[in-house]
Amino acid sequence: MPSTFPIRRIVVAVVLSCTVLVSTTACGGETRTPQSTSQNAAEKAAPVAARSSASPTASAERQRLAKTRFVANAGLAAGAAYQWIVKPFKAGKFKKGAKGRTFALVKAGLAGAFTYNRLKAATENAKGDPLLSKALAPLSSGIDSLKDLGGKLRKGDASDADVGKFENVIGGVKDAGQKAGAPVTDQVPSAGQLSGG
């Protein structure tokens, strides 16, 4: 019996490490550059003649892909903000003395950084569609205001106004998407996606 305990630990550690590695590999590429890795790969794979021609079909396809990417990124941002910031805050999990406060604050900090990151990616995606770009333009300062709130949440220094910023910005992004024909629905990211950025 004593010899199986370390083996269990090793197996659990390997499985968790692989899960985090796969999760961060799956979504980590879009967080490091202004243009997403998948977008770069698609551009490199396209023939030079197709890229240089301005056919209506290519433009329509580019706009459709921009909307699809926008919806995915904005949905993940909305899901993370609601699940790990707004909902626990309203339930009182961030208050001193609350059970599980430290864990809730760490998750909220990660969710804050993740939400900001996905909203910035959604803003970049929106540039591929003129209507969506125009609808999202007034929200850029609101999105930028979320940059440091992840750290504030992690430290337990967030106020009602800070959490309200997340709700307002996410609501504005959803409204902009709806008006531009790209409705956004909340998609709760996995823990691996959340920690991977």
Side-chain angles (χ1 to χ4, degrees):
M1 198 72 156
S3 65
T4 61
F5 183 69
I7 292 173
R8 282 190 214 154
R9 277 188 168 174
I10 292 170
V11 170
V12 169
V14 169
V15 170
L16 289 174
S17 298
C18 290
T19 303
V20 170
L21 179 63
V22 169
S23 298
T24 57
T25 303
C27 71
E30 291 186 3
T31 62
R32 293 177 180 37
T33 61
Q35 273 190 332
S36 70
T37 304
S38 59
Q39 187 177 5
N40 289 339
E43 287 175 0
K44 288 177 184 175
V48 175
R51 279 187 278 170
S52 63
S53 69
S55 71
T57 307
S59 177
E61 181 67 18
R62 193 174 303 117
Q63 287 178 6
R64 186 182 68 75
L65 287 175
K67 281 185 177 182
T68 302
R69 290 181 179 132
F70 166 81
V71 167
N73 282 315
L76 285 169
Y82 179 73
Q83 183 70 26
W84 289 303
I85 298 171
V86 175
K87 191 171 143 183
F89 183 81
K90 288 182 177 179
K93 296 217 179 211
F94 298 163
K95 292 182 180 175
K96 291 185 181 188
K99 184 178 179 182
R101 178 179 188 253
T102 303
F103 186 66
L105 289 174
V106 169
K107 278 238 173 170
L110 288 171
F114 180 87
T115 298
Y116 171 74
N117 183 293
R118 292 298 89 207
L119 287 175
K120 290 301 276 183
T123 303
E124 283 298 313
N125 300 141
K127 291 178 181 176
D129 181 79
L131 185 60
L132 192 53
S133 180
K134 185 177 178 181
L136 210 58
L139 300 172
S140 62
S141 63
I143 292 170
D144 290 340
S145 74
L146 301 179
K147 184 175 185 176
D148 298 323
L149 288 183
K152 228 175 161 180
L153 286 164
R154 192 176 308 113
K155 293 175 188 171
D157 296 336
S159 65
D160 290 345
D162 294 326
V163 174
K165 278 185 187 178
F166 277 101
E167 286 185 294
N168 292 337
V169 170
I170 294 294
V173 169
K174 285 182 166 184
D175 288 344
Q178 186 71 36
K179 289 175 185 171
V184 175
T185 56
D186 292 9
Q187 298 175 23
V188 178
S190 69
Q193 287 175 310
L194 193 65
S195 63

